[in-house]
Amino acid sequence: MSTIVNRRDLDFIMYETLQLDDILKQERYSDYDRESIDAILDLSQSMAEEKFQPFAAYLDQNEPKYVDGKVEIIPEVKEALLAYKEAGFFASGYSYEMGGMQLPWVVHQALSAIFVTANTSATNYIFLTQGAANMLNTCGSDALKATYLPNMVAGDWFGTMCLSEPQAGSSLADIRTKAEKRDDGSYKITGTKMWISGGDHEMTDNIVHMVLAKIPGSPAGVKGISLFLVPKHRVNDDGSIGESNNVALAGLNHKMGHKGTTNCLLNFGESGDTIGYLVGGENQGLANMFHMMNEARIAVGMAATVIGLGGYLYSLDYARNRPQGRHLSNKDPESPMVMISEHADVKRMLMTQKAYVEGAQAMILYSAKLLDEQATANTDEARERATLLLELLTPICKSWPSEFCLEANKLAIQVLGGYGYTREYPVERYYRDNRLNHIHEGTHAIHGLDIMGRKVRMADGAALKALAAEIAETVDTAKSYPDLVGYCQQLGQSLQQIQNTLEAVSKAADPSLALANATIFLDAMGHVVVAWVWLKQAVAATKGLVDCSASDVNFYSGKLAACKFFYRYELPTATAKFDLVASLDDTCFNLTGEQFIGH
Amino acid sequence: MSTIVNRRDLDFIMYETLQLDDILKQERYSDYDRESIDAILDLSQSMAEEKFQPFAAYLDQNEPKYVDGKVEIIPEVKEALLAYKEAGFFASGYSYEMGGMQLPWVVHQALSAIFVTANTSATNYIFLTQGAANMLNTCGSDALKATYLPNMVAGDWFGTMCLSEPQAGSSLADIRTKAEKRDDGSYKITGTKMWISGGDHEMTDNIVHMVLAKIPGSPAGVKGISLFLVPKHRVNDDGSIGESNNVALAGLNHKMGHKGTTNCLLNFGESGDTIGYLVGGENQGLANMFHMMNEARIAVGMAATVIGLGGYLYSLDYARNRPQGRHLSNKDPESPMVMISEHADVKRMLMTQKAYVEGAQAMILYSAKLLDEQATANTDEARERATLLLELLTPICKSWPSEFCLEANKLAIQVLGGYGYTREYPVERYYRDNRLNHIHEGTHAIHGLDIMGRKVRMADGAALKALAAEIAETVDTAKSYPDLVGYCQQLGQSLQQIQNTLEAVSKAADPSLALANATIFLDAMGHVVVAWVWLKQAVAATKGLVDCSASDVNFYSGKLAACKFFYRYELPTATAKFDLVASLDDTCFNLTGEQFIGH
């Protein structure tokens, strides 16, 4: 079996649960049908398995090195990325207007995810480039786009995002990188950027950095941030590569995971002038950066999900082929051993992984479909609905998988036992790689503040109402199936808990206290959303079970079992969390640093 | 501040919460008083900080290598262990009879833990040796003891435990290593052992392996396992090192963490005869191995706890010194940044770590004190009570910290953000090191089966009754303090939930189904036990607050806050788990391998 994708499940989510057909009927995607998408996903899987997966462990063990101011990366990475480029996959994330394939975002997300599972570190370069290119396309001038975009879309030049600085990670208000206007309208950039993934390497002729900086005299804080395009090498008027732009690699960060992606400390303007070009208006940097935020955050959630998926599939395959021990009821030590997938606790660990990973995957692809709906909506109302849902779900899509699919990775190690703890098996690498996803693209805490402080309240609660309407629609269908009625009731109660919790905290005298446990709210609300998408899957599986093949009986009944699992083992854990948040508990909030250890 | 121990807290737990004075009054420990113990712990801390902590990260990055059939380890490990030996610390884990210091186990455990926090990988060699020596002392013949024990007690020879084989980890019934009797009464050992920590190295003149093997003709399964002492080098009659005993290093396992401890695949009897000596009776191997099981498992729990502690102390210190962002209520970006310990979610993450780590530490030291009570009891009744409590609490002591102090390590990374994910800071190493503790010394699942299938039912439920009596005693004291009354009620309800759950599952028609969710029961019952030791700490802190110094006001009020946190944020999560276990849910239990992915 493939250990990077379960195509049966992916197809089930896309077509049976999320009705991708509806999207394919839209004019924007009229060049695609199920058959052509099948072919694209088949090709993705075979290329990922042949060109990316084989060296993932080797790359992890042989991370990029800093040698004489340059980065040395094992050649397999460039070779794989070249194969990806030559197959035209770089174009999957772009519109026709940009020279791309204009795939539905659902399909782009699904095919990208297959490569992430195969080799997370090697594929980061691709997605960083696509994010930078889309941002440039949305906000950049025609001249800038003409010079840079075709090279990025083709995968000839890679891109990065340069936000953080050593003293300012989550707190972008405090960045110090400076952009001083030059006579020709470009800017002189000086400063230091930290945690820049893909920040330097020799794999492409150029690297296009999207850099946040402050123009002297701008307002303090985030209102004074502007966005600049800063190439590693300057580009001549004829489009050829010119002299160095003095973006100096000051060092590489050595991480616990994602070891194959260079992560850099970059100095701008230290060894000579670094020239940058304003993208969008002055002081509009943060707003411009946020233009592609939903896509980027959903992509991080998808990465967290499929790193979990990799562990799940690997540990499932292992468990079904590793004999050890006997059923508890069998006291005869001379009887043959059973596969460990027969043991109750191993089943529980596999099911927990399945419920987290397949639930997260359905949630992410649902959100990716909202991006497609945004792009294809025929009415303002439809577009507004998609936008509201997307705004509300994005922090959950980013965060929930980073918490629970990491937990899945923990369990994958446990299924393999001592073997899982060694570097001979991929599950420990998945666990290390996935731990990043709580941190980057907005920390867990920041998404808690985002959802509880902003998203649930935006437009007078319209986003939450839109979600409630979606849930009600699912419940309306589901309640006609007797086996699903209980879930409908439970889900309704959970939705009510969300509303009760928000009402309770709205009464807090101190708004900061109201948000003190926002992270806990984020996790709990994520459980409700995932419970909802599990109900959607259960409806689809119930329908699928009518007149299906014997192997599909297994598939669909496994889906129904996973839904049951989620409602019995998982959703009830949200209740204690909502109660806690609603209580406006101030135990941690009021604590001083001294109280932690007594001095 | 020290990042390996909070002595104020350790003293609080030992003297104010657990009344170590009672133990020190016993004749067995009459050579010790608080002053001498203080000096021992002070020395432990300074040696751990000076000799062990400085190279922990370097050791992690430079793991032992397999070169020409031998192991190369960085010299710092041997130097540190030599310093430990020369200070006499090896003797801390042994009785006077064995030539040891005969420290109270509480103190031995506490001082050992300080070294574990400083450098987990380097110290594993010590504790493996102490475990093997104590087992030999308990079960071995006088002749064997005379030859091997003094060298082990002195720290001149190290020891190992050889249980697992490549095909038999949790399933010891299926080991294949063979022991054939020789004419002189010794045995010829042939077979392969896997996951042997400290299994080979050149740091000592000899290594003493305690090996499980089967004598041909023995009963099948665990009833036919015997225990053998197998030296790396044979020992001449005069006690000098003789020829090789043909224990061949077949390879090193490369792990995610614990990288500095060699972990070996060993072949016995392949390159020539390997001689072993029976320890205890034939076929009594498992029982003999279990003699030191409580101590060993409590020590693993302590290691999991203090790896969590290391992350907690480091992230606390970091948070109090890292400026970033402003209070939510402060909208002025030109105002100075605050330390991140001021942010509500950082406080929550620090408090969660504190509640887990200090709760686990108090539980472990309570259990260590039970070992002391076993050793000093004046009546059979007192000894029986200590034994029952120990049997019941050991699986929780081993398992709960491996789950929740690992969670603490996850949060320590999060407090440091991107920095925490790099290898420049110790928190990611703690996270990798701690992941082992779910797996070795009995997996999480095995301890679930142990507590739910055996311990709660043993002696007609006497162990659980003994625990209930202990809890009742704490509640009796606590309820006279108005601030603690609420906790008393909550704890009483939780204890009732344990009993209700056990009663519900006792009605299962299929005993295997009754145990299907034993791991979840283990976690939930752990929460109740830790809630209880938090109440014990709250009583002590409430008493301490009377007429104390200003700095102690901080310390004690922090303890009370942590107790409150545990009862508000943590204990309520156990309810959903008990409900689930009591429901005899069979969702996972009935699933087939095919249902997971459809084929």
Side-chain angles (χ1 to χ4, degrees), chain A residues 213-440:
Chain A
K214 289 189 163 182
I215 299 168
S218 299
V222 293
K223 291 178 183 163
I225 296 176
S226 302
L227 176 64
F228 298 88
L229 182 154
V230 180
K232 175 179 179 181
H233 298 288
R234 295 181 194 161
V235 180
N236 298 322
D237 289 344
D238 64 357
S240 62
I241 298 292
E243 58 187 326
S244 166
N245 197 26
N246 302 305
V247 180
L249 176 63
L252 292 176
N253 298 306
H254 298 287
K255 294 185 167 185
M256 172 166 68
H258 286 250
K259 288 187 182 176
T261 311
T262 58
N263 189 272
C264 308
L265 182 67
L266 297 178
N267 277 334
F268 295 82
E270 199 182 64
S271 49
D273 280 358
T274 294
I275 298 175
Y277 308 95
L278 187 66
V279 176
E282 286 189 5
N283 303 329
Q284 298 300 311
L286 210 63
N288 290 335
M289 194 57 103
F290 271 94
H291 258 126
M292 290 302 296
M293 217 48 128
N294 287 336
E295 283 86 334
R297 290 178 163 176
I298 289 169
V300 167
M302 189 64 168
T305 300
V306 296
I307 295 173
L309 175 68
Y312 167 55
L313 294 176
Y314 196 93
S315 63
L316 175 60
D317 190 49
Y318 182 91
R320 292 173 73 184
N321 291 287
R322 162 81 173 171
Q324 190 161 180
R326 287 155 198 87
H327 291 136
L328 280 185
S329 55
N330 177 359
K331 305 292 180 199
D332 175 11
E334 292 187 270
S335 59
M337 296 197 281
V338 299
M339 298 303 163
I340 62 170
S341 59
E342 298 281 309
H343 297 312
D345 199 62
V346 173
K347 288 185 191 185
R348 183 189 64 81
M349 292 193 285
L350 292 171
M351 179 49 101
T352 309
Q353 293 180 67
K354 178 183 172 77
Y356 289 158
V357 166
E358 294 181 1
Q361 189 162 266
M363 172 175 72
I364 302 275
L365 291 176
Y366 173 86
S367 301
K369 190 186 167 201
L370 291 174
L371 287 164
D372 288 323
E373 289 175 11
Q374 257 189 335
T376 60
N378 296 317
T379 63
D380 287 350
E381 200 186 341
R383 190 172 301 106
E384 174 70 6
R385 175 194 149 276
T387 302
L388 283 170
L389 285 168
L390 206 47
E391 291 291 320
L392 183 66
L393 293 179
T394 293
I396 296 174
C397 285
K398 188 307 183 156
S399 302
W400 195 89
S402 76
E403 178 71 19
F404 294 97
C405 297
L406 176 69
E407 188 69 18
N409 286 132
K410 190 178 88 180
L411 294 173
I413 293 175
Q414 195 70 14
V415 169
L416 271 72
Y419 291 98
Y421 192 67
T422 71
R423 309 200 296 272
E424 312 300 310
Y425 292 83
V427 288
E428 66 86 31
R429 171 166 47 84
Y430 288 133
Y431 184 60
R432 287 186 287 107
D433 282 350
N434 220 353
R435 183 61 190 83
L436 178 63
N437 290 311
H438 278 93
I439 298 169
H440 69 163

Side-chain angles (χ1 to χ4, degrees), chain A residues 63 169 174 324 326 423, chain B residues 63 169 174 324 326 423 435:
Chain A
E63 64 187 331
D174 298 293
Q324 190 161 180
R326 287 155 198 87
R423 309 200 296 272
Chain B
E63 64 187 330
D174 298 294
Q324 190 161 181
R326 290 155 195 87
R423 308 199 299 271
R435 183 62 190 83

Side-chain angles (χ1 to χ4, degrees), chain A residues 1 6 8 63 166-171 173-174 194-195 220-221 253-259 312-313 316 320 322-326 328-329 333-334 337 344-345 347-348 350-351 354 358 403 406-407 410-411 413-414 417-419 421-424 428 431-433 435-436 438-439 443-445 449 512 515-517 519-520 551 554-555 557-558 561 564-565 568-569 572-573 576 580 585-599, chain B residues 1 6 8 63 166-171 173-174 194-195 220-221 253-259 312-313 316 320 322-326 328-329 333-334 337 344-345 347-348 350-351 354 358 403 406-407 410-411 413-414 417-419 421-424 428 431-433 435-436 438-439 443-445 449 512 515-517 519-520 551 554-555 557-558 561 564-565 568-569 572-573 576 580 585-599:
Chain A
M1 58 176 268
N6 179 2
R8 179 68 189 89
E63 64 187 331
Q167 83 294 344
S170 293
S171 171
D174 298 293
M194 184 62 160
W195 309 124
N253 298 306
H254 298 287
K255 294 185 167 185
M256 172 166 68
H258 286 250
K259 288 187 182 176
Y312 167 55
L313 294 176
L316 175 60
R320 292 173 73 184
R322 162 81 173 171
Q324 190 161 180
R326 287 155 198 87
L328 280 185
S329 55
E334 292 187 270
M337 296 197 281
D345 199 62
K347 288 185 191 185
R348 183 189 64 81
L350 292 171
M351 179 49 101
K354 178 183 172 77
E358 294 181 1
E403 178 71 19
L406 176 69
E407 188 69 18
K410 190 178 88 180
L411 294 173
I413 293 175
Q414 195 70 14
Y419 291 98
Y421 192 67
T422 71
R423 309 200 296 272
E424 312 300 310
E428 66 86 31
Y431 184 60
R432 287 186 287 107
D433 282 350
R435 183 61 190 83
L436 178 63
H438 278 93
I439 298 169
T443 66
H444 217 61
L449 294 175
S512 301
L515 293 173
N517 286 309
T519 308
I520 295 174
S551 114
N554 279 322
F555 177 77
S557 62
K564 189 165 152 190
F565 175 88
R568 294 200 176 176
Y569 288 66
T573 65
L580 190 270
D585 183 89
D586 60 2
T587 310
C588 307
F589 189 72
N590 287 333
L591 220 65
T592 66
E594 290 72 23
Q595 287 178 298
F596 281 105
I597 48 169
H599 52 82
Chain B
M1 59 176 267
N6 179 1
R8 179 68 190 87
E63 64 187 330
Q167 82 295 346
S170 294
S171 171
D174 298 294
M194 185 63 161
W195 311 124
N253 297 307
H254 298 287
K255 294 185 167 185
M256 174 167 65
H258 286 251
K259 288 187 182 176
Y312 167 56
L313 294 175
L316 175 60
R320 292 173 73 184
R322 162 81 174 171
Q324 190 161 181
R326 290 155 195 87
L328 281 185
S329 55
E334 292 187 271
M337 296 196 280
D345 199 62
K347 288 186 191 186
R348 183 189 63 82
L350 292 170
M351 178 50 102
K354 178 183 171 78
E358 295 182 1
E403 178 71 19
L406 175 70
E407 188 68 18
K410 190 178 88 181
L411 294 173
I413 293 175
Q414 195 70 13
Y419 292 98
Y421 192 67
T422 70
R423 308 199 299 271
E424 311 301 310
E428 66 86 31
Y431 184 61
R432 287 186 287 107
D433 281 350
R435 183 62 190 83
L436 178 63
H438 278 93
I439 299 169
T443 65
H444 217 62
L449 294 176
S512 301
L515 293 173
N517 286 310
T519 307
I520 295 174
S551 114
N554 279 324
F555 177 79
S557 62
K564 188 164 150 190
F565 175 88
R568 293 200 177 177
Y569 289 64
T573 66
L580 191 269
D585 182 89
D586 60 2
T587 310
C588 308
F589 188 72
N590 288 332
L591 220 64
T592 66
E594 290 72 23
Q595 286 177 299
F596 281 106
I597 46 167
H599 52 82

Side-chain angles (χ1 to χ4, degrees), chain A residues 197-227:
Chain A
S197 289
D200 203 9
H201 53 77
E202 305 295 319
M203 294 190 295
T204 50
D205 293 338
N206 211 351
I207 301 173
V208 182
H209 303 289
M210 303 299 279
V211 179
L212 292 186
K214 289 189 163 182
I215 299 168
S218 299
V222 293
K223 291 178 183 163
I225 296 176
S226 302
L227 176 64

Side-chain angles (χ1 to χ4, degrees), chain A residues 507-583:
Chain A
K507 292 172 186 151
D510 179 351
S512 301
L513 177 60
L515 293 173
N517 286 309
T519 308
I520 295 174
F521 178 82
L522 174 71
D523 284 349
M525 182 163 163
H527 258 58
V528 180
V529 172
V530 174
W532 163 52
V533 295
W534 266 116
L535 185 58
K536 284 176 91 74
Q537 292 186 74
V539 169
T542 305
K543 290 179 181 169
L545 266 173
V546 180
D547 292 331
C548 70
S549 70
S551 114
D552 266 359
V553 170
N554 279 322
F555 177 77
Y556 290 125
S557 62
K559 279 284 171 186
L560 289 171
C563 179
K564 189 165 152 190
F565 175 88
F566 203 87
Y567 278 81
R568 294 200 176 176
Y569 288 66
E570 290 295 324
L571 188 55
T573 65
T575 300
K577 291 178 183 171
F578 285 126
D579 287 348
L580 190 270
V581 176
S583 76

Side-chain angles (χ1 to χ4, degrees), chain B residues 60-291:
Chain B
D60 179 67
Q61 293 297 314
N62 294 276
E63 64 187 330
K65 290 192 193 106
Y66 178 88
V67 182
D68 298 334
K70 294 192 174 185
V71 180
E72 278 183 16
I73 305 182
I74 60 164
E76 287 84 348
V77 179
K78 185 173 176 175
E79 285 162 27
L81 294 173
L82 195 65
Y84 190 89
K85 168 181 137 67
E86 284 175 354
F89 280 126
F90 261 96
S92 74
Y94 308 115
S95 62
Y96 289 147
E97 173 209 355
M98 292 171 71
M101 287 168 74
Q102 196 155 304
L103 276 174
W105 201 264
V106 172
V107 180
H108 162 66
Q109 194 65 89
L111 88 80
S112 300
I114 292 172
F115 288 93
V116 172
T117 324
N119 193 328
T120 305
S121 285
T123 51
N124 282 331
Y125 300 98
I126 300 165
F127 310 121
L128 289 162
T129 302
Q130 289 174 340
N134 276 316
M135 192 180 301
L136 175 60
N137 184 60
T138 309
C139 311
S141 67
D142 289 345
L144 270 186
K145 289 201 265 190
T147 305
Y148 292 93
L149 214 44
N151 290 297
M152 295 170 82
V153 169
D156 288 326
W157 296 356
F158 288 174
T160 80
M161 308 283 197
C162 301
L163 287 76
S164 298
E165 300 180 5
Q167 82 295 346
S170 294
S171 171
L172 287 174
D174 298 294
I175 62 166
R176 294 181 197 144
T177 296
K178 205 163 58 177
E180 294 162 293
K181 200 159 190 173
R182 288 158 36 106
D183 293 343
D184 66 354
S186 67
Y187 290 77
K188 187 181 148 191
I189 310 289
T190 45
T192 301
K193 290 289 177 180
M194 185 63 161
W195 311 124
I196 309 309
S197 289
D200 203 10
H201 52 76
E202 305 296 318
M203 295 190 293
T204 51
D205 293 338
N206 210 352
I207 300 173
V208 182
H209 303 289
M210 304 299 279
V211 179
L212 292 186
K214 290 189 162 183
I215 299 169
S218 298
V222 293
K223 290 176 183 164
I225 296 176
S226 302
L227 176 64
F228 298 88
L229 183 156
V230 180
K232 177 180 178 181
H233 297 289
R234 294 179 194 162
V235 180
N236 298 321
D237 288 345
D238 64 356
S240 62
I241 298 292
E243 58 187 324
S244 165
N245 196 27
N246 303 305
V247 179
L249 176 63
L252 292 175
N253 297 307
H254 298 287
K255 294 185 167 185
M256 174 167 65
H258 286 251
K259 288 187 182 176
T261 310
T262 57
N263 189 271
C264 308
L265 182 66
L266 297 179
N267 277 333
F268 295 82
E270 199 181 64
S271 48
D273 279 0
T274 294
I275 298 175
Y277 308 95
L278 188 66
V279 177
E282 286 188 3
N283 303 329
Q284 299 300 309
L286 209 64
N288 290 335
M289 193 58 102
F290 272 94
H291 258 127

